[in-house]
Amino acid sequence: MIQYSDPPILLRDVIDDVGEVLRLLERVAPYTPLGGWYRPGADLDAATSPMWFQNDWVHAGVRVEGSELFLFHESVMQAARDFYDAALICPHSVYVNLMAALAQSGPAHTDNPRFQGRDRSNTPMWLLRAMLWSGLFDEQAIVQATSIWWLNDVEGGAFRYWPEGPGKPPQEHLGAMANTALVGDNHGMFHQVGPVGPFGRGTRLVTPRAELAPLAPGSKEWAVSDRGKVCYQAPLAEIRVSVLWKDDVYRDEAQRRRQLAEPLSIPDVARIFDRDLEEKGADLCFDLDRLEDPGLIAAVNAIYPEAIPIGKAPSIFDPA
Ligand SMILES: [Fe+2]
């Protein structure tokens, strides 16, 4: 099953010149509301999105100029090597979250897994997660380290995490978060963003078309524009800004080569599940023509359920 790693490593004074990050943040604006996994099929003209904005700085073929500040940060890379006692790390992603006025927490979750030859580009998300929770593919998992770095201290905005596994109470990183980073295993360790201020008016909602950007070039004041109007305005210092970094982790070059050379096909995945289902005596087999079928998804999830971490707070994305 899932192996819970050590608690994440806390780094302080991570970025020497935070002004560089401020310039990068402005250059890459505007930012758009989080979509994807938690909000499939959102109506573009309905104000249903919380003010949780996210943009990629490094992803697949994209690398924003200046993002090397995070992508190849020496202390973060060393912390990842130390955390996993690994010789080889390959940084591949950097993205930024900006949040304000979230009356409830984000979802308690583990980050999306990857396996040899299988990731979001070629495999349904539910299947990747079932592969993780089944524990049947641990050998083929691509281990990834994550660093989360915070720009500032805002009202609320705790980082809650379960370093001892989902069955033990969570811990929180809150207060003096500015210019710190936590480096660890967010793919094995549950984590959750706490409510973010300002509080008192509930979670403010915008449409998926909304954009967050400086009010004017060089301004410390930022604003959310939605359907042609400014609907929220605050100093950047009051917006929770975090930069996430991910890398692949390998014991050594030989392991990297082996993992690259042995991709799992979908029929391989089905075969491995089917063998286990048979051993379990489950009345279910993996029908490759039904990978989008909610009935198959529910049946597989019932046999390989995700853990629910104790002490998790309600999420802004929970069904009403
Ligand atoms: Fe996460």
Side-chain angles (χ1 to χ4, degrees), residues 247-318:
D247 76 307
D248 294 340
V249 178
Y250 302 98
R251 275 191 303 277
D252 49 31
E253 177 61 20
Q255 190 207 18
R256 189 184 77 85
R257 283 175 191 241
R258 184 186 61 73
Q259 289 208 296
L260 276 178
E262 297 174 2
L264 284 166
S265 68
I266 289 283
D268 290 336
V269 172
R271 221 169 9 251
I272 291 167
F273 269 121
D274 277 342
R275 197 167 55 218
D276 190 59
L277 289 165
E278 196 179 328
E279 279 174 20
K280 283 181 159 57
D283 182 21
L284 179 68
C285 74
F286 234 82
D287 183 345
L288 294 181
D289 294 331
R290 293 177 59 209
L291 288 185
E292 307 296 332
D293 177 348
L296 177 73
I297 297 171
V300 172
N301 286 342
I303 294 171
Y304 305 107
E306 293 209 9
I308 299 172
I310 66 166
K312 74 168 187 159
S315 158
I316 44 173
F317 296 125
D318 286 343

Side-chain angles (χ1 to χ4, degrees), residues 205-259:
L205 299 175
V206 295
T207 76
R209 297 185 196 277
E211 293 185 339
L212 171 62
L215 202 54
S219 174
K220 290 182 177 161
E221 197 75 10
W222 281 50
V224 177
S225 304
D226 195 10
R227 291 167 291 181
K229 284 190 191 144
V230 170
C231 62
Y232 185 79
Q233 188 177 324
L236 181 63
E238 294 177 11
I239 297 172
R240 185 187 193 273
V241 179
S242 56
V243 178
L244 288 97
W245 168 95
K246 287 187 181 293
D247 76 307
D248 294 340
V249 178
Y250 302 98
R251 275 191 303 277
D252 49 31
E253 177 61 20
Q255 190 207 18
R256 189 184 77 85
R257 283 175 191 241
R258 184 186 61 73
Q259 289 208 296

Side-chain angles (χ1 to χ4, degrees), residues 95 109-111 148 159 186 191 244 246:
Y95 57 99
H109 67 286
T110 56
D111 290 355
I148 309 180
F159 180 72
N186 283 16
H191 52 282
L244 288 97
K246 287 187 181 293

Side-chain angles (χ1 to χ4, degrees), residues 108-171:
H109 67 286
T110 56
D111 290 355
N112 295 319
R114 288 169 49 214
F115 300 88
Q116 291 166 210
R118 304 253 61 95
D119 60 31
R120 288 180 69 169
S121 70
N122 60 13
T123 311
M125 186 52 59
W126 75 267
L127 182 52
L128 290 171
R129 298 196 69 84
M131 290 169 70
L132 169 72
W133 288 101
S134 73
L136 298 171
F137 300 88
D138 290 357
E139 281 297 304
Q140 293 96 349
I142 307 291
V143 174
Q144 296 176 80
T146 300
S147 161
I148 309 180
W149 174 87
W150 291 272
L151 172 69
N152 44 14
D153 287 291
V154 300
E155 198 181 356
F159 180 72
R160 189 175 300 132
Y161 59 105
W162 279 259
E164 297 175 82
K168 299 270 176 64
Q171 298 180 18

Side-chain angles (χ1 to χ4, degrees), residues 176-191:
M177 295 171 82
N179 207 12
T180 65
L182 280 172
V183 182
D185 176 19
N186 283 16
H187 297 261
M189 180 185 75
F190 276 93
H191 52 282

